[in-house]
């Protein structure tokens, strides 16, 4: 069994310790420890059913832990409701894009601005310079600056995925978690997303769950391999790929 690599403690923003969730006696996450630094892009890999998505569900408060703790910037998240975890700076992207198909790219980004217009409260909203500047800045980052007035339903799959990342960025999360962000994307779209992820981990922490090894190699600072709810191996990509346990349970298939 590999030793878990622990970054220097003063840089760690997310501490996950002995985290466990039991579904009718089945431990989907089992005494898991994970430490993520600021500015770090961590990729989590592992076979189907390893508990990767459940781990993100636990961090964002969608699923409640049976045991253990999750501390983000010194605050304990395990008892907080989901919306409070969002306000604490945690953003989460699910596997399927959840954008508003009938709104424009601009409007999708605009409604994601914290305290900005809600889909229901259009009349009370004043479109401030701060919002439009931020929309423009994010649109450039996600390579959709030339599509701002386009209805979101006409975007390609890759563009929709990037738009959703942009909607999360509007909230300036300090921890961004993305579940299989390049599933179904073409090779050029994967490259664009890899470049975007390399940029957006600056000044925050990013956790990505991914299967595509070429993509993982192109973005990961460190890789955590999960198996049966536990950490099987952790470290730089080369080290993890050469690990006999990892080859046996995951990469060998
Ligand atoms: P991964 O994302 O690594 O493929 P998941 O986290 O989705 O794995 O699932 C881990 C295991 O936990 C699976 O066996 C899954 O069936 C089980 N599981 C996930 N959520 C629940 C739930 N709400 N109730 C019961 N079992 C669940
Ligand atoms: Mg999953």
């Amino acid at each position: 069994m590999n030793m878990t690599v622990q970054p220097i403690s003063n840089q760690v923003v997310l501490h996950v310790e002995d985290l466990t969730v039991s579904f009718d006696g089945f431990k989907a996450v089992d005494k898991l420890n994970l430490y993520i630094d600021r500015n770090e892009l961590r990729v989590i890999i592992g076979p189907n059913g390893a508990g990767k998505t459940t781990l993100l569900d636990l961090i964002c408060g969608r699923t409640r832990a049976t045991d253990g703790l999750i501390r983000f910037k010194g605050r304990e998240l395990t008892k907080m409701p989901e919306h409070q975890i969002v306000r604490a700076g945690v953003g989460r992207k699910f596997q399927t894009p959840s954008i508003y198909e009938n709104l424009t790219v601009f409007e999708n980004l605009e409604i994601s601005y914290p305290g900005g217009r809600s889909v229901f409260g259009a009349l009370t909203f004043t479109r401030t310079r701060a919002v439009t500047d931020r929309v423009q800045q994010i649109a450039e980052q996600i390579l959709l600056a030339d599509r701002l007035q386009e209805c979101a339903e006409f975007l390609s799959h890759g563009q929709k995925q990037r738009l959703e990342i942009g909607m999360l960025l509007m909230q300036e999360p300090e921890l961004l978690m993305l579940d299989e962000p390049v599933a179904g994307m073409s090779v050029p779209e994967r490259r664009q997303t890899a470049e975007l992820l390399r940029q957006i981990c600056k000044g925050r922490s990013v956790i990505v769950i991914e299967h595509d090894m070429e993509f993982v190699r192109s973005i990961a600072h460190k890789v955590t391999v999960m198996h049966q709810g536990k950490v099987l191996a952790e470290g730089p990509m080369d080290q993890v790929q050469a690990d006999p346990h990892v080859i046996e349970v995951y990469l060998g298939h």
Side-chain angles (χ1 to χ4, degrees), residues 2-136:
N2 263 15
M3 293 299 292
T4 300
V5 179
Q6 285 194 24
I8 304 156
S9 64
N10 64 6
Q11 297 180 316
V12 179
V13 288
L14 180 72
H15 295 74
V16 173
E17 276 165 15
D18 291 329
L19 190 67
T20 302
V21 66
S22 172
F23 298 118
D24 296 325
F26 170 74
K27 288 177 177 166
V29 171
D30 189 5
K31 285 193 172 297
L32 181 125
N33 294 297
L34 187 75
Y35 303 89
I36 311 282
D37 285 349
R38 189 173 148 86
N39 296 311
E40 180 179 357
L41 197 166
R42 176 74 59 96
V43 179
I44 300 176
I45 64 171
N48 278 332
K52 305 180 298 295
T53 298
T54 304
L55 172 62
L56 299 198
D57 288 344
L58 287 163
I59 297 170
C60 78
R62 182 175 243 231
T63 298
R64 291 289 148 197
T66 312
D67 211 348
L69 68 83
I70 303 167
R71 214 165 60 235
F72 178 61
K73 292 176 67 199
R75 299 175 73 190
E76 169 65 304
L77 302 187
T78 43
K79 304 284 183 298
M80 281 188 199
E82 253 184 296
H83 67 270
Q84 211 175 319
I85 295 174
V86 171
R87 265 191 262 129
V90 178
R92 158 85 183 272
K93 187 190 173 313
F94 293 90
Q95 277 175 255
T96 44
S98 55
I99 56 170
Y100 300 98
E101 297 261 339
N102 56 335
L103 298 183
T104 64
V105 170
F106 184 97
E107 289 164 339
N108 268 283
L109 292 171
E110 184 186 39
I111 57 163
S112 306
Y113 190 81
R117 180 167 75 165
S118 77
V119 250
F120 310 107
L123 290 174
T124 59
F125 180 77
T126 37
R127 191 175 280 174
T128 65
R129 184 68 193 269
V131 183
T132 49
D133 283 356
R134 186 137 180 81
V135 167
Q136 185 63 37

Side-chain angles (χ1 to χ4, degrees), residues 57-222:
D57 288 344
L58 287 163
I59 297 170
C60 78
R62 182 175 243 231
T63 298
R64 291 289 148 197
T66 312
D67 211 348
L69 68 83
I70 303 167
R71 214 165 60 235
F72 178 61
K73 292 176 67 199
R75 299 175 73 190
E76 169 65 304
L77 302 187
T78 43
K79 304 284 183 298
M80 281 188 199
E82 253 184 296
H83 67 270
Q84 211 175 319
I85 295 174
V86 171
R87 265 191 262 129
V90 178
R92 158 85 183 272
K93 187 190 173 313
F94 293 90
Q95 277 175 255
T96 44
S98 55
I99 56 170
Y100 300 98
E101 297 261 339
N102 56 335
L103 298 183
T104 64
V105 170
F106 184 97
E107 289 164 339
N108 268 283
L109 292 171
E110 184 186 39
I111 57 163
S112 306
Y113 190 81
R117 180 167 75 165
S118 77
V119 250
F120 310 107
L123 290 174
T124 59
F125 180 77
T126 37
R127 191 175 280 174
T128 65
R129 184 68 193 269
V131 183
T132 49
D133 283 356
R134 186 137 180 81
V135 167
Q136 185 63 37
Q137 181 209 333
I138 300 291
E140 280 164 22
Q141 212 172 6
I142 60 173
L143 307 175
L144 291 175
D146 57 342
R147 309 294 292 272
L148 279 169
Q149 297 315 319
E150 182 114 34
C151 201
E153 68 177 308
F154 300 118
L155 299 177
S156 72
H157 174 69
Q159 289 169 331
K160 285 180 185 175
Q161 295 277 4
R162 286 209 305 279
L163 175 56
E164 196 186 359
I165 294 173
M167 291 166 73
L168 288 165
L169 291 175
M170 287 295 291
Q171 297 163 27
E172 302 195 284
E174 289 179 67
L175 171 64
L176 188 57
M177 304 190 291
L178 310 160
D179 202 345
E180 303 190 18
V182 297
M185 276 191 192
S186 67
V187 172
E189 285 175 337
R190 274 163 203 250
R191 284 205 197 100
Q192 286 172 331
T193 305
E195 178 53 32
L196 174 61
L197 295 182
R198 284 193 292 264
Q199 277 175 30
I200 64 178
C201 65
K202 289 171 191 151
R204 60 167 64 87
S205 310
V206 177
I207 300 176
V208 178
I209 293 175
E210 198 42 69
H211 288 292
D212 178 335
M213 284 302 140
E214 199 189 323
F215 182 76
V216 173
R217 176 172 290 284
S218 73
I219 60 167
H221 297 157
K222 241 193 261 175

Side-chain angles (χ1 to χ4, degrees), residues 234-249:
E234 189 168 271
M237 181 71 169
D238 288 330
Q239 181 189 314
V240 157
Q241 268 190 315
D243 187 311
H245 296 105
V246 177
I247 294 167
E248 190 186 327
V249 308

